[in-house]
Amino acid sequence: MAGASGLYDIVRCYMANPRKVAVLAFPGMAPFELGVVVEVFGLARPELAHDPYELTVFAEQAGPLAAIGGFSLTPSAGLEALRDAGTVVIPGCPDKGAEPSAELKGALRDAHARGARMVSICSGAFTLAAAGLLDGREAATHWRFAPLLAERYPKVRVRPDVLYVDDGDVLSSAGSAAGIDLCLHLVRLDHGSEVANAVARGLVVAPHRDGGQAQFIELPVSPRAGDQPVGRAMDWALERLGAPLSVGDLARQAHMSPRTFARRFHEAVGMSPGRWLSAQRVAASLPLLEGSDDPVEHVGSAVGFPNPANFRAQFRRHRGLSPAAYRRAFRARRQERPAA
DNA sequence: CGAGGGACCCGCCAAA
DNA sequence: ATTTTGGCGGGTCCCT
């Protein structure tokens, strides 16, 4: 949760450039998850123009590799791509029973030891686990595979209830769409919330779903399509986060009793209105912490926490560290610009 | 840091 | 009969 230590970050910046992204391809792979990674890290993005990602698709075998859906792809690199990658992504593997080769496991371990951050999507967690990179750590995978992962790799503390887990140098996400959330999370770490939000807008997905949010969301897509009452109330609230808002206000906005509003809301968003509200306020504070030197108290009151102590407590609850520590960590990351 | 008061959350249930 | 609603209670969490 809290991520790597400061010392580790400093060491890491000499060893691996997180902007160099390598994603694994293999026979029988699902194109969607590879596509997510390509979409976020491989497209030319004006938002990232000043500091773009370099994406490499690598595979153990020289292609062409048959993908699910009846087509094949030819990766441009082999395992040597792991030597200078700073971010390594493992998409879901089709066959959870298959043991990765010793070469792949070794290369992944080496990459991690060199300081690359290791990222899995969906059942890709099995590959990281097989390499021992999840031992003693919390990890996420698709809820359908969570029991199997826990059974096969007892040292992994499987979290079946979250969208993704950020354990600093090892990150794992649940089902394919949660991979989008995790990729956006990485963009936020590297470039800040504003850039991440811009990328999310480009993808037309919700700007940010917290890693700790429940996987079970009954409506698969965020209801923020202005015609739904709950979505309207959310939009309404987002426009006045700085003002005192109660969940009763939101219910009134949606023309519902507080009780049914809470029910509708939970069905749609996967959390209670009050919790969502405080999560949104914390999220809104991120760009202010990153981009300004406003005292933490000002930032808090600007996003609806008139009481600084309360702001700090809520911030810690949602993000696992204090606002000041977040600001410091963010600045430190931005400075870490390894010579290309 | 701790206590008091209030907001919130959620199971339950009667009513629509 | 089934589903949806919204009020109630009290336990919890939040906020001052």
Side-chain angles (χ1 to χ4, degrees):
Chain A
M1 279 258 273
S5 72
L7 178 60
Y8 189 86
D9 276 338
I10 291 165
V11 172
R12 178 161 79 187
C13 81
Y14 287 105
M15 302 175 80
N17 177 353
R19 274 77 165 182
K20 290 200 172 185
V21 181
V23 56
L24 174 68
F26 43 83
M29 73 180 310
F32 181 77
E33 297 172 21
L34 178 64
V36 164
V37 178
V38 171
E39 184 79 20
V40 174
F41 299 111
L43 281 189
R45 295 198 163 276
E47 305 91 326
L48 302 176
H50 64 286
D51 192 12
Y53 288 101
E54 279 174 56
L55 178 70
T56 306
V57 179
F58 74 98
E60 284 194 81
Q61 310 88 334
L65 311 172
I68 295 174
F71 64 98
S72 59
L73 54 93
T74 307
S76 52
L79 288 184
E80 76 280 356
L82 287 173
R83 279 206 294 267
D84 67 343
T87 301
V88 179
V89 188
I90 311 295
C93 51
D95 180 4
K96 266 75 58 192
E99 177 75 8
S101 72
E103 290 76 20
L104 177 59
K105 288 191 289 188
L108 292 175
R109 274 193 295 265
D110 289 347
H112 175 254
R114 247 192 24 258
R117 57 185 177 191
M118 310 302 287
V119 180
S120 73
I121 300 177
C122 195
S123 49
F126 284 79
T127 306
L128 291 186
L133 294 173
L134 294 178
D135 287 355
R137 294 171 181 268
E138 294 201 331
T141 188
H142 192 286
W143 54 267
R144 193 174 289 136
F145 309 140
L148 182 61
L149 183 65
E151 182 193 330
R152 188 170 315 155
Y153 302 102
K155 289 184 191 161
V156 182
R157 306 210 303 276
V158 179
R159 292 286 309 270
D161 56 340
V162 297
L163 289 173
Y164 60 82
V165 171
D166 175 355
D167 201 24
D169 50 340
V170 179
L171 306 92
S172 52
S173 60
S176 309
I180 299 177
D181 293 296
L182 180 51
C183 287
L184 289 173
H185 177 70
L186 292 172
V187 173
R188 186 154 32 84
L189 292 177
D190 296 337
H191 296 96
S193 300
E194 277 190 43
V195 170
N197 289 347
V199 172
R201 267 199 304 281
L203 296 173
V204 196
V205 299
H208 178 235
R209 296 195 287 167
D210 221 31
Q213 182 174 336
Q215 274 189 46
F216 292 97
I217 298 171
E218 296 189 21
L219 295 180
V221 175
S222 160
R224 302 253 333 264
D227 56 347
Q228 298 289 337
V230 170
R232 290 179 84 86
M234 291 168 82
D235 287 338
W236 179 84
L238 287 174
E239 281 171 19
R240 58 207 85 220
L241 283 181
L245 290 175
S246 72
V247 321
D249 294 333
L250 293 200
R252 212 164 304 117
Q253 234 6 255
H255 307 291
M256 291 180 207
S257 75
R259 186 68 185 86
T260 55
F261 178 72
R263 246 191 308 243
R264 284 281 112 80
F265 194 98
H266 200 277
E267 287 166 8
V269 185
M271 67 178 92
S272 65
R275 198 186 157 82
W276 175 84
L277 195 55
S278 97
Q280 295 309 308
R281 295 212 228 248
V282 167
S285 76
L286 298 183
L288 301 179
L289 290 169
E290 294 161 6
S292 81
D293 285 316
D294 259 9
V296 167
E297 303 82 48
H298 287 187
V299 171
S301 75
V303 298
F305 293 112
N307 179 344
N310 184 34
F311 174 49
R312 287 183 240 267
Q314 289 302 314
F315 194 96
R316 182 173 287 278
R317 228 165 72 81
H318 287 284
R319 306 224 61 88
L321 74 178
S322 73
Y326 177 84
R327 173 177 268 164
R328 232 176 314 115
F330 180 80
R331 302 266 157 100
R333 267 190 215 261
R334 304 230 58 175
Q335 299 221 333
E336 131 188 356
R337 283 285 165 70

